[in-house]
Structures are given as C-alpha cells and as structure tokens.
Amino acid sequence: MIRTLIVDDQSMIRVGIRAILESQDDVTVVGEAENGQLGVERCRSLRPDVVLMDVRMPVLDGLAATRALLGPERTEGHTPRVLMLTTFDLDDYIYAALQAGASGFLLKDSEPEDLLRAVRVVASGEALLAPSITRRLIENFVEARPRQPAASTALNGLTDREREVLRLMALGRSNAEIAAALFIAEQTTKTHVSRILQKLDLRDRVQAVVFGYETGLVRPGNQG
C-alpha cells in the first residue's frame, strides 16, 4: 500500500486528489496539510511514502518544505518521495525543487490516470522524467545560470563510459535506450547508473539530469 500525504493550500484541490487516490486499492491518503509547515510536521509524524507537494503556499512554501524533508535536517530513518504539483508558470520554483531532491513534478490539470501513474512511479523509487517537459524546464533555467565549477570537477571521478551514460541520462534516455545507443546490455546500463548516482551523491535520475546540464556535459538544445 502506497501511503500518501497531500500538501496544498486549496481545499478543493486536496479533496479532488484524495478522491482520485483513494479510488485505488494500492494507494491510501494518510493525511492532508494546507501549508508547507504543517506538511513537514505531518510528514514527520505520519511517515508517508509519497508527499504530493504544492509549490506556492502560505507560512512555508513547497520548495522550503521539500528542503526540510529531504535536507540534512530530515527525520532519521524516513525519507519520503516528493512529487511537486505545479503549473507552467513556475519553472524556476520547480527547478529548485528538483535540486532539493524532489522526485518529479505534475501539472495540476493532469488527468487522473497521470496522477496515479506519477504516484506509483515515484513510490517505486524512480524519478518522474516523462514527458519531456522536465528536460525543457531544466534547459530554460540552466541557460540563465553560470556553469557550476564544483559540479564540473566531480565529473573527474567518473570513467569515460560512466560519463557517456550520464550524458544520455541527462538527455532523458531510458535504460533500454542507453543500452541500445552504447551497444551494451540493459543490466550493464543499470549498473552504470547505480554507480554514477553513488559516486556523485545524487538521489535519482532527475538530479542526474540537473547535474548533467549544470556541468555543461549536456547543453540546452542538444538532442543527441
């Protein structure tokens, strides 16, 4: 059973999301919160698997709440997956949330089946990278930021093969697509991905995409 917590300052949004989630046999809602501060407190007491987090809220916004849940001050032994809820006009907030460790984001006007898929994907430990909007969002944001020298230095710890795998990850390629492009087994790709995340201290593939752009390994507009 996937335990979820809904954090949004609009009661109608919370009611709607709860109804969708609780219509499923494998998902339950353990609680709700109308601002980020209450969301952090209830997450620490209720220990959900997935937190559906609005971006813009009173008292404490979703970005600050995500940092509180996933940063150094997080509760020991419990690290939830955070799925951000947003709209198209909040790209800068979402990019920062991905940097903070959020596992992906979902538009508030998404279809119910997309919400359910997102919750299941995030709960399974994967990052929600599809559709390509995540990559476009990151490209737009990175274009306005200088390259991060410290992050670039971290690339030195990767082998040539790992750097190539990371480059393809940053382009949004799946394990199967990476394996086909490099003519290696998919299991070998999974091993490379695991080692890359461990070496670079990255939480998941979303952070790998962010890292790839910040280091200049992939540049905005690069398709291949």
Side-chain angles (χ1 to χ4, degrees):
M1 183 70 72
I2 302 172
R3 294 163 51 82
T4 63
L5 174 70
I6 305 168
V7 185
D8 195 296
D9 62 328
Q10 298 181 22
S11 59
M12 288 185 64
I13 295 291
R14 297 198 306 272
V15 169
I17 292 176
R18 177 184 278 271
I20 293 170
L21 296 180
E22 294 197 329
S23 69
Q24 305 297 299
D25 293 335
D26 62 333
V27 183
T28 187
V29 178
V30 297
E32 300 178 14
E34 60 267 30
N35 63 62
Q37 184 60 50
L38 285 176
V40 171
E41 294 172 3
R42 288 174 185 168
C43 183
R44 288 172 175 168
S45 62
L46 297 171
R47 302 170 77 85
D49 302 307
V50 177
V51 179
L52 292 95
M53 182 80 74
D54 188 19
V55 174
R56 191 170 283 176
M57 293 181 290
V59 185
L60 191 71
D61 66 28
L63 176 56
T66 298
R67 286 174 174 155
L69 291 176
L70 303 179
E73 66 272 33
R74 68 182 181 273
T75 303
E76 288 297 325
H78 178 246
T79 304
R81 310 290 292 188
V82 175
L83 179 64
M84 305 300 298
L85 303 175
T86 186
T87 54
F88 277 110
D89 61 342
L90 295 173
D91 284 1
D92 52 344
Y93 286 92
I94 296 305
Y95 182 83
L98 296 178
Q99 283 186 309
S103 295
F105 71 96
L106 191 71
L107 299 175
K108 285 190 175 182
D109 60 356
S110 295
E111 295 296 323
E113 56 266 28
D114 292 329
L115 170 64
L116 294 169
R117 174 182 173 274
V119 168
R120 291 179 177 123
V121 167
V122 168
S124 73
E126 294 296 321
L128 192 68
L129 285 175
S132 60
I133 184 173
T134 300
R135 180 180 161 194
R136 185 173 70 249
L137 178 157
I138 291 173
E139 285 191 357
N140 291 340
F141 197 86
V142 170
E143 281 183 323
R145 289 166 55 90
R147 190 177 303 179
Q148 305 296 310
S152 298
T153 302
L155 284 173
N156 297 334
L158 301 182
T159 66
D160 289 342
R161 176 62 85 188
E162 288 169 346
R163 287 167 67 101
E164 183 61 18
V165 170
L166 175 59
R167 187 183 71 83
L168 293 173
M169 288 171 64
L171 289 171
R173 303 289 192 269
S174 67
N175 285 343
E177 290 169 335
I178 293 172
L182 300 180
F183 302 101
I184 58 178
E186 188 170 348
Q187 185 57 50
T188 302
T189 299
K190 292 179 180 179
T191 299
H192 283 311
V193 170
S194 178
R195 287 176 179 168
I196 290 166
L197 296 180
Q198 182 177 23
K199 284 184 176 182
L200 299 178
D201 193 27
L202 301 175
R203 181 177 171 85
D204 53 33
R205 294 177 81 101
V206 169
Q207 288 198 319
V209 173
V210 173
F211 184 91
Y213 279 97
E214 286 193 332
T215 58
L217 188 64
V218 175
R219 298 179 183 279
N222 185 340
Q223 297 296 318

